[in-house]
DNA sequence: TCTTATTTGGGCTGGTTTCCCAGTTGCAGT
DNA sequence: ACTGCAACTGGGAAACCAGCCCAAATAAGA
């Protein structure tokens, strides 16, 4: 996996009647070595994201460990309900998956409802720099409309 | 590539049934050394622009590379969502491509819809000083009608 | 007019993507 | 525990598409 490079590009794919779709080889190669597991995540509505395990763990562990440490230190004693919620979200939000032959991903129950994609519908698979995202087509369009104008500002902000 | 010279001229070309068209040698030579990659960009409706990678770098990649470097250094760990958004926008807006033999460009899926050009339709390929643009014929005409009157003013403004 | 270069059209091939079928697993009801 | 239904998995086959190449047609130049 070429860690340094951004994952970029967009592809249209069709969900088959068994809720499976094939991920472009290009993306699979930038995400993972052959055979490795991937992490499928519910990050934003109308979209599922696909991460390299290690990268995702790094991103997640950083935050979770902090919380854990705080709990140990008794600093979150009064906020048990919130910690519980966090735990609940951690449970449903992500799942380890493995691609089948021909880079085929079968979207698990639970993630289907979240994506709200019907069998036979068109999906957009796009590179999002650090991960790959699978969008319901209409959600993709509206997300673009909303965010394209901010492009330059965002770039300035991140690079500045 | 003659960096100093403006790229000028216009040519009519036909999109074949496989969404391919040949770029005039003259343009290819001013854009790039043989074999180099080019950047295809959705900049304005009805039109795709074709840039030299390095020149595009000046406009944009400089910033993008900065972001990339920052990520490597772990400086954007807390702003992954923004990086993702940036990646998403980069994915749809631009794409690295390579010309096939005979300077033939095949317009990728995704850019076809943006250009809204049917197979067998007429396209205008025009020099735009710093890049080459590929216009749907009708979009070209209306863009001309709109902008020609401003020519003198623009020239004065830029030279003054 | 003849030669050369450019543009356009189409064939072929190998890799992707989609479709289809069969075996398997898991669950529920009897 | 057995049976039947439904969902999931896997693999093969067909369809599709992009890239590579060649050849005809057209334009340009000598």
């Amino acid at each position: 996996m070429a860690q340094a490079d951004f994952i970029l590009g967009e592809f249209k794919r069709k969900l088959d009647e068994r809720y499976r779709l094939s991920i472009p080889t290009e993306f699979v190669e930038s995400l993972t070595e052959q055979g490795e597991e991937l992490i499928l995540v519910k990050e934003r509505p109308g979209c599922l994201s696909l991460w390299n395990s290690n990268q995702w763990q790094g991103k997640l562990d950083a935050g979770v460990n902090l919380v854990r440490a705080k709990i140990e230190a008794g600093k979150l004693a009064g906020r048990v309900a919130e910690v519980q919620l966090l735990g609940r979200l951690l449970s449903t939000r992500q799942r380890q998956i493995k691609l089948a032959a021909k880079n085929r991903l079968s979207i698990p129950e639970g993630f289907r409802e979240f994506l709200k994609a019907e069998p036979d519908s068109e999906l957009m698979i796009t590179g999002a720099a650090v991960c790959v995202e699978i969008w319901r087509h209409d959600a993709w369009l509206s997300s673009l409309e909303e965010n394209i104008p901010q492009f330059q500002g965002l770039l300035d902000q991140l690079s500045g």
Side-chain angles (χ1 to χ4, degrees), chain A:
Chain A
M1 184 191 72
Q3 160 79 19
D5 278 356
F6 279 179
I7 303 176
L8 297 178
E10 58 174 356
F11 301 87
K12 213 188 264 176
R13 283 296 133 88
K14 213 165 125 199
L15 199 62
D16 75 8
E17 72 280 14
R18 305 261 185 245
Y19 296 94
R20 301 179 295 184
L21 79 168
S22 79
I23 311 292
T25 15
E26 189 183 328
F27 281 165
V28 176
E29 280 165 6
S30 11
L31 266 184
T32 171
E33 308 292 333
Q34 45 77 33
E36 272 184 354
E37 305 249 310
L38 291 168
I39 311 273
L40 187 65
V41 194
K42 303 171 193 164
E43 284 194 284
R44 63 205 89 245
C47 162
L48 295 174
S49 32
L50 207 49
W51 289 76
N52 169 281
S53 297
N54 302 323
Q55 215 148 336
W56 177 256
Q57 277 309 322
K59 174 175 140 74
L60 188 71
D61 286 356
V64 172
N65 284 338
L66 227 101
V67 175
R68 206 174 276 152
K70 276 190 161 184
I71 293 178
E72 297 252 323
K75 290 207 181 132
L76 295 179
R79 300 165 71 186
V80 181
E82 284 167 64
V83 174
Q84 234 172 312
L85 174 58
L86 179 70
R88 210 175 301 137
L89 292 179
L90 279 177
S91 305
T92 39
R93 222 163 81 91
Q94 57 180 296
R95 173 164 327 179
Q96 244 201 6
I97 51 115
K98 213 172 74 193
L99 295 186
K102 316 275 174 169
N103 297 329
R104 191 145 54 166
L105 163 66
S106 119
I107 298 182
E109 173 83 68
F111 288 74
R112 292 173 196 171
E113 296 87 60
F114 182 81
L115 186 58
K116 287 204 194 73
E118 305 295 318
D120 273 328
S121 60
E122 295 278 349
L123 298 178
M124 233 25 209
I125 308 191
T126 70
V130 287
C131 68
V132 168
E133 296 179 341
I134 301 164
W135 288 81
R136 194 159 30 86
H137 194 261
D138 59 314
W140 172 244
L141 289 184
S142 47
S143 141
L144 274 189
E145 270 178 38
E146 187 188 330
N147 292 313
I148 277 220
Q150 305 168 27
F151 176 78
Q152 193 58 49
L154 183 68
L155 181 58
D156 293 345
Q157 205 180 20
L158 285 173
S159 64

